[in-house]
Amino acid sequence: MAEIVGGFLMPHDPLIPSIPDAAEPAQRDRVLGAFEKIARRVDELDADTAIIIGDDHYALFGPHCIPRCLIGIGDVEGPAENWLGFETGVIENNEPLAKHILFSGYDDGIDWSFAKALTVDHGVAVPHHYCVKSNAGLRTIPVYINCGVMPVVQGRRAQQIGQSIRRAIDSWSGDERVVVFGTGGISHWVGSAEMGRINESFDRRILDLAGRGDVEGLIALSDEEILREGGNGALEIRNWICAMAALGKVRAELMLYEPVPQWITGIGFAELKAA
């Protein structure tokens, strides 16, 4: 039987790979070191599949169609952006397991959209670049939930999607060892007059809730509160909720927090461990 063997929370900030030297050298090195530590932990866990939960940034979808949640079940490549600092390439998918998650989700009442061919944006490509590429044979299932364009997915629904992913993996006949990445956040304002602002107190509140395994506390944060205190980019904590729900009763053990104004983001890393 397949099993989830680990989980991690991390940023997918596109400025990390595209302008790495904009940050203070010590901060840059700590952030890149956190990615490297996750890559090593994934190797230690002997994982063969990573489910990367991200969100689109108007790079893949537009006003004509914004899926609430989407899973890639076929060919995957990325990144879609040509300015991230690394070349577009093939991302090996675990298609059989991805399709099982899709159909199992339908049975759970999850209205998945799906892509038989997908070019991922930085929401998936950045975590893949730093934490998957170095692990030979590690396949990637991309999952997108809409945290970027209003009306966004709600926290409760993000939790339900994560729980459905867990049930699908538990019911899969294969012997995969799966890690789940919840990506994005924390505080950042994108495309507004407040762009560049970081709310460290809000970030630490989110990290504290995650650290205590208080998913209900994260779900209780309204869109309005998140937008006011953490900016539109902080809505990506719904990706964190989804990942935590996939692992079950967990707490997020803090690995690193860095407020990096040059990268316009409060950046957090954590490993999800049994509570």
Side-chain angles (χ1 to χ4, degrees):
M1 184 179 73
E3 62 177 324
I4 296 176
V5 297
F8 301 89
L9 307 178
M10 70 187 73
H12 59 226
D13 186 340
L15 300 183
I16 298 172
S18 62
I19 52 170
D21 294 333
E24 294 294 331
Q27 282 194 308
R28 177 201 62 208
D29 292 347
R30 287 193 293 268
V31 168
L32 296 180
F35 278 124
E36 291 170 3
K37 184 175 181 180
I38 290 174
R40 289 195 301 271
R41 283 288 296 133
V42 169
D43 181 58
E44 290 167 1
L45 292 165
D46 197 25
D48 56 53
T49 301
I51 297 175
I52 302 181
I53 302 167
D55 55 288
D56 178 47
H57 304 79
Y58 261 146
L60 310 181
F61 313 111
H64 58 286
C65 180
I66 300 174
R68 193 180 197 189
C69 58
L70 177 141
I71 186 167
I73 62 169
D75 295 338
V76 180
E77 64 176 9
E81 303 95 335
N82 62 7
W83 47 266
L84 277 189
F86 53 93
E87 294 183 358
T88 298
V90 172
I91 295 174
E92 185 182 0
N93 195 354
N94 184 338
E95 294 183 24
L97 180 55
K99 290 174 182 176
H100 178 69
I101 292 169
L102 171 73
F103 288 108
S104 179
Y106 288 160
D107 291 339
D108 283 342
I110 304 298
D111 293 325
W112 284 111
S113 297
F114 60 89
K116 293 186 175 182
L118 181 65
T119 302
V120 299
D121 78 337
H122 65 268
V124 167
V126 168
H128 176 269
H129 176 71
Y130 286 117
C131 300
V132 175
K133 275 186 178 180
S134 62
N135 287 297
L138 183 61
R139 296 167 290 178
T140 297
I141 297 175
V143 168
Y144 279 88
I145 62 176
N146 177 34
C147 301
V149 182
M150 301 295 287
V152 295
V153 70
Q154 293 302 295
R156 183 67 66 195
R157 193 56 169 169
Q159 179 190 44
Q160 291 165 349
I161 294 167
Q163 290 169 336
S164 178
I165 290 171
R166 174 57 179 263
R167 285 191 290 269
I169 292 169
D170 286 346
S171 67
W172 179 235
S173 59
D175 59 0
E176 280 87 345
R177 294 177 60 83
V178 180
V179 289
V180 181
F181 297 169
T183 77
I186 310 173
S187 68
H188 59 298
W189 281 255
V190 181
S192 72
E194 292 182 279
M195 191 165 178
R197 176 188 169 197
I198 295 170
N199 186 345
E200 186 172 344
S201 63
F202 174 82
D203 292 344
R204 293 196 179 278
R205 178 184 172 197
I206 297 302
L207 291 167
D208 178 67
L209 288 168
R212 291 188 279 112
D214 189 358
V215 175
E216 289 300 321
L218 293 170
I219 290 172
L221 295 168
S222 67
D223 293 349
E224 293 75 19
E225 183 176 6
I226 295 170
L227 289 167
R228 182 180 66 250
E229 299 297 328
N232 52 346
L235 290 164
E236 292 170 340
I237 62 173
R238 307 273 165 79
N239 297 335
W240 291 21
I241 291 170
C242 186
M244 293 178 73
L247 269 81
K249 191 172 178 56
V250 291
R251 57 180 178 81
E253 184 176 283
L254 182 64
M255 298 171 62
L256 180 71
Y257 172 70
E258 291 287 343
V260 188
Q262 299 90 338
W263 291 336
I264 69 165
T265 304
I267 289 172
F269 293 84
E271 180 171 359
L272 299 178
K273 296 190 174 182

